[in-house]
Structure formats: C-alpha cells, structure tokens
Amino acid sequence: MEGWMLSFVTSLVKFLSEVKKLMMHVLAYRSLFASKSIQTGECILRVPYNVQIAPDNLLPKVASLLDNEVGNVAKLAIVILTEQKRGQESEWAPYISCLPWPGEMHSTIFWSKSELDMIHQSTVYQETIKEKYQIEKDFMKIKSALDHSPEILDGITLEDFMHAYALVRSRAWGSTRGVSLIPFADFSNHDGVSEAFVLNDEDKQVSEVIADRNFAPHEEVLIRYGKFSNAILLLEFGFIVPHNIHDQVQIHIDVPNHDFLGEMKLDILRRHHLPTTRYANDFKFSGDSFIIKEVRSARGKGKGLPQSLRAFSRVLCCNSSQDLIDLAMEAAQNDGRLARRPLKNSSREIQAHEILMSRISQLIEEYNVSMKSLEPVAASVCKRFALRRQMALDLLTGELRVLESAYTWLNNYCATLLQHSTNNDDASACGNIRE
C-alpha cells in the first residue's frame, strides 16, 4: 500500500474510533462539552483535512458524470447520499449516523406553505422559495447525469436530496476543497457573540478551534458560525437567536412611476454606482434594496442606516433637473460620491428623510399586522408547528426592532434639523428688527 494511502487509512481509523466513543453522547445532545478544564487560547479541537468530507470525496465515476454547473454543496450532498446508501459498510457510518434526520431539521426549506406564510413579511420568505428552486434544479441535473448509472443513487428522491443538501448548508464550512464537513466541529452549537470559530491551517493541513474563554469540565463549548442575522440562521441552519445583535432588514425604495424626472434620476444614480433597476417597459422606474441594521443610539450618527440609502432619498426628493445637476457637480468637486452630504436646503433634507420615515413606517405597520396574526397555538397543536411559530415570531420581532430603531433615529434627525432651522429663522428675524 502506498505511503499516503496508509497514512490516510491510519488517520481515518483512529479518528472514527473517537467518533464511535462519542456517538451516543452526540446523539443524546448533538452538542460538544468540555471533558476537562479549557483555558482561553487553548485548542479546543483539531481535525485533519484528510478525515474531513468534501466534494472531492465523490466517487470518480460520479464526478466524471457531473458538469461544472453542479455546485460544491450539491456535490457534497451526493457524497452524503452515497455513504448513507452504503450503510455500515461506509467508513463514515459512525459520523453519518449522528447527523440530524429530516424531522429534526427546521430550515425554512422544510416548512409547509402555511408555515412559510407566517414569515411572508421577511425576506426569508422569498429566499426560501429561491433556495428550494435551486435544490430542485440541482436534483434534476444530477438525476439526468446519473441516468446511465442508476445503481449509484437508485431510488433517491427529491426529499432525500433536499435533506442531504440542507445538512451541507447547515453543517459544512468553507475550505480550500470548496466546502467540508468537519466531524465534531459541526456538533458545536452557535453563539453569536463568541470569538471562537473554525480556523484552517494550510501548512499543518488541519482545521481547529481556539477557546475564546475558559470552560469548566462538562460545560458546553460554543463557537460562532458567523455574524449572521436571524434571517440567515433560520434559512440555512433552522434556528433563531433571540435579541440577535446581527439582525438586519432589507427594504426597497422605488422611484415613483409618475416621476417626470425618473429617467434622469436613474441615470445619475447609475453613473454614481447607486442601486437602480429599470423595468422591461420604459415607463416604470424602480429603486433597489438596501440593508439596514439596528441603530443603537437615537442621537448618534445613524450607524445602521447605509449612506447609500440616505443618498438615494436625497436624489428622490429632487424636483428639478437643476437640483440633480447640482448634486452631480457637488459629487465631482468632492469625493465623487453622490448626495452623501446633507442637502444645503434644510427643508429639502427633512423631506428626503421623511420619505424614508414613510417607507419604514409602512413596513412597521405591516410587521405588526403579521405578528398579530400569529395567534397563540393550542396545547393540542403539534410541537413542530408550535416551535416554528415561535421562530417566526422571534424573527419578525427582531426585524421589527431594527425598523423601529431606524424610524426613531430618522424622526430625531428631522426634529433636530427643524429646530435648527427655526432657531436660525428666529435669529434672522431678530437681526432684521435690530436693523
């Protein structure tokens, strides 16, 4: 046996023996706990690359049948399916057997239509539809490619593929091999404020996690999957973090159809790289989507409200071509960014931000209606639906908090401008009297 193969087999056997020892523990909790005291800066776990599962673990015969349009997530899903089909003959059987079953997963791709309707207000709704479409598209490509070798995945259904796909999306980590399932690391649960996460050491060919704090024996070890909003966590992982500091909301602002300056506004926005969309017909103009985050300080600088969104609103409130020309000239004379400075006319600056307030107020009202429709469930309702209803409520609550913080900041900003304008008018009037 060649040296590299012997090394791989030895590592794999040793590693899987550890998996067997912990298998029942993982099945019971699907979490990781410290077996002894761990100090900050110590290595919590280290997993060699050669015992991780990646797309290049595809059987050569299968890999040769797939084209480049089949992505790494789909390819790794096929690896899981082929290993599951092999059962106990698979060298990965101890690990595969620890993975969640379909009924245990709560990613929104598994939600029924009535369950999805609970979150129709959130962008997760449309993202879920797109994700399911992509999964079906990948499945049809794979089925078509493997038609000449039906024995490889004979009897595999779309539901089977969706389960494997969701396992990869929720458990795999980015790597030099595309994506990789890292045994043990993927059993660590998520903590959004943790500074411990999976690191890849290319020189040592290992993935490892370094403790960001002290852990006592038997204490659960948590890591951070990423700085993810609840929308992402629910779509990809199937859980929610209450009071998630990374929550955000996607909002859409339109250039009205009747705006006689619509064409000119879109042109100037496009030239200055602000988001725009022009519909197929020549009469409907549109803006684009912006991501807003929670504004922590009502009197701060509006951190959480993107400058591009405020700039868009300033362009939107222009009512003459000269206004737009002036904005473009100002941008050219400064840093090149369009409408990033307050408008010189304070009443117009207020008007621009009132446009945002109006849109956000509308969204707040729609969120409140959606949340009120989520009536408490009866005790007789199945636990799965009750859990998903609570997830939906927590998701909408977090996004509503973001919207309300943005509205509060905008309201204070406009009030401050109005006060300054009033004071200046009063000062001017007094000056005229003295004269």
Side-chain angles (χ1 to χ4, degrees):
M1 182 179 292
E2 295 184 11
W4 70 268
M5 180 61 74
L6 179 60
S7 176
F8 168 77
V9 173
T10 302
S11 298
L12 186 60
V13 170
K14 182 178 179 181
F15 186 78
L16 290 178
S17 68
E18 295 300 318
V19 175
K20 290 181 179 179
K21 292 178 184 178
L22 293 179
M23 184 174 64
M24 295 309 297
H25 180 69
V26 170
L27 282 172
Y29 298 99
R30 206 169 273 115
S31 307
L32 287 184
F33 295 84
S35 59
K36 62 180 182 179
S37 295
I38 300 174
Q39 302 300 310
T40 303
E42 289 185 353
C43 183
I44 296 176
L45 60 86
R46 182 177 291 110
V47 184
Y49 281 4
N50 61 1
V51 294
Q52 298 177 20
I53 313 177
D56 56 24
N57 287 116
L58 269 174
L59 295 173
K61 182 178 181 180
V62 177
S64 66
L65 296 172
L66 302 177
D67 57 32
N68 292 330
E69 291 186 9
V70 178
N72 284 323
V73 174
K75 288 178 180 177
L76 187 47
I78 299 173
V79 175
I80 292 177
L81 289 170
T82 53
E83 295 302 321
Q84 285 177 332
K85 187 176 180 181
R86 294 180 62 193
Q88 293 303 312
E89 294 181 5
S90 168
E91 59 266 37
W92 296 106
Y95 169 70
I96 297 292
S97 67
C98 295
L99 297 175
W101 294 98
E104 298 177 289
M105 303 185 74
H106 296 285
S107 165
T108 49
I109 64 171
F110 296 110
W111 288 27
S112 66
K113 183 181 182 305
S114 61
E115 289 170 338
L116 273 179
D117 285 342
M118 296 189 294
I119 56 172
H120 76 276
Q121 194 59 49
S122 174
T123 54
V124 181
Y125 181 85
Q126 289 297 332
E127 291 301 317
T128 300
I129 293 174
K130 289 195 291 185
E131 183 98 327
K132 293 180 72 172
Y133 172 77
Q134 184 61 49
I135 292 171
E136 292 174 9
K137 185 178 177 182
D138 285 343
F139 179 70
M140 295 307 296
K141 288 180 182 177
I142 292 165
K143 289 288 285 185
S144 177
L146 299 182
D147 274 347
H148 300 296
S149 302
E151 74 283 355
I152 297 175
L153 288 178
D154 185 34
I156 296 298
T157 65
L158 173 60
E159 289 70 24
D160 296 327
F161 180 72
M162 185 175 291
H163 172 229
Y165 193 99
L167 287 173
V168 176
R169 290 288 280 177
S170 63
R171 312 185 80 81
W173 303 81
S175 71
T176 54
R177 298 166 69 186
V179 289
S180 298
L181 284 168
I182 307 175
F184 291 141
D186 64 343
F187 288 122
S188 298
N189 287 321
H190 171 72
D191 177 4
V193 298
S194 173
E195 291 299 323
F197 39 84
V198 173
L199 300 169
N200 293 320
D201 189 323
E202 297 300 327
D203 293 332
K204 297 180 181 178
Q205 294 285 289
V206 297
S207 298
E208 56 188 13
V209 176
I210 306 300
D212 66 327
R213 64 179 181 85
N214 297 338
F215 289 93
H218 312 301
E219 184 179 358
E220 184 177 2
V221 175
L222 301 172
I223 65 175
R224 190 180 74 214
Y225 296 170
K227 295 182 179 180
F228 296 139
S229 66
N230 274 337
I232 294 176
L233 291 176
L234 187 56
L235 174 65
E236 304 297 349
F237 301 94
F239 66 84
I240 289 286
V241 175
H243 310 294
N244 190 339
I245 63 173
H246 302 299
D247 268 335
Q248 58 188 34
V249 178
Q250 188 177 45
I251 67 173
H252 190 87
I253 303 289
D254 286 317
V255 178
N257 299 344
H258 59 270
D259 192 334
F260 71 98
L261 292 171
E263 185 73 57
M264 187 174 181
K265 288 178 180 179
L266 280 175
D267 181 62
I268 195 172
L269 288 165
R270 192 180 302 112
R271 284 190 283 114
H272 288 269
H273 310 293
L274 281 174
T276 60
T277 299
R278 177 172 177 165
Y279 279 41
N281 61 55
D282 289 331
F283 303 101
K284 183 164 184 176
F285 304 101
S286 179
D288 213 318
S289 296
F290 299 84
I291 298 295
I292 64 173
K293 299 181 180 181
E294 185 174 3
V295 185
R296 303 297 173 80
S297 171
R299 298 187 180 278
K301 294 184 178 180
K303 186 176 181 181
L305 287 175
Q307 285 292 337
S308 58
L309 172 60
R310 299 175 67 191
F312 188 94
S313 69
R314 290 174 181 133
V315 172
L316 205 59
C317 77
C318 289
N319 54 18
S320 73
S321 58
Q322 188 59 50
D323 289 339
L324 293 169
I325 292 171
D326 289 344
L327 284 179
M329 289 179 62
E330 182 184 77
Q333 293 168 1
N334 294 291
D335 58 5
R337 296 186 298 172
L338 181 71
R340 297 302 178 101
R341 299 184 176 193
L343 297 174
K344 295 176 182 179
N345 185 319
S346 60
S347 64
R348 296 288 297 283
E349 177 74 355
I350 291 173
Q351 180 187 354
H353 286 75
E354 285 178 340
I355 292 173
L356 300 183
M357 286 177 62
S358 176
R359 176 60 180 140
I360 290 175
S361 177
Q362 177 188 355
L363 289 172
I364 288 173
E365 183 178 351
E366 292 172 359
Y367 267 78
N368 279 319
V369 170
S370 293
M371 291 170 65
K372 287 179 181 178
S373 69
L374 298 179
E375 298 292 341
V377 297
S380 59
V381 174
C382 74
K383 291 183 179 179
R384 185 182 68 181
F385 178 80
L387 174 61
R388 292 178 179 176
R389 176 200 168 276
Q390 187 59 52
M391 287 179 175
L393 185 59
D394 288 342
L395 171 72
L396 297 179
T397 299
E399 294 186 353
L400 177 61
R401 185 184 71 251
V402 171
L403 290 169
E404 289 177 337
S405 75
Y407 184 89
T408 298
W409 187 89
L410 288 166
N411 190 44
N412 286 336
Y413 180 74
C414 290
T416 300
L417 286 178
L418 183 60
Q419 182 64 44
H420 286 169
S421 177
T422 302
N423 291 341
N424 289 337
D425 289 343
D426 290 344
S428 176
C430 289
N432 290 335
I433 292 173
R434 283 196 297 270
E435 291 175 355

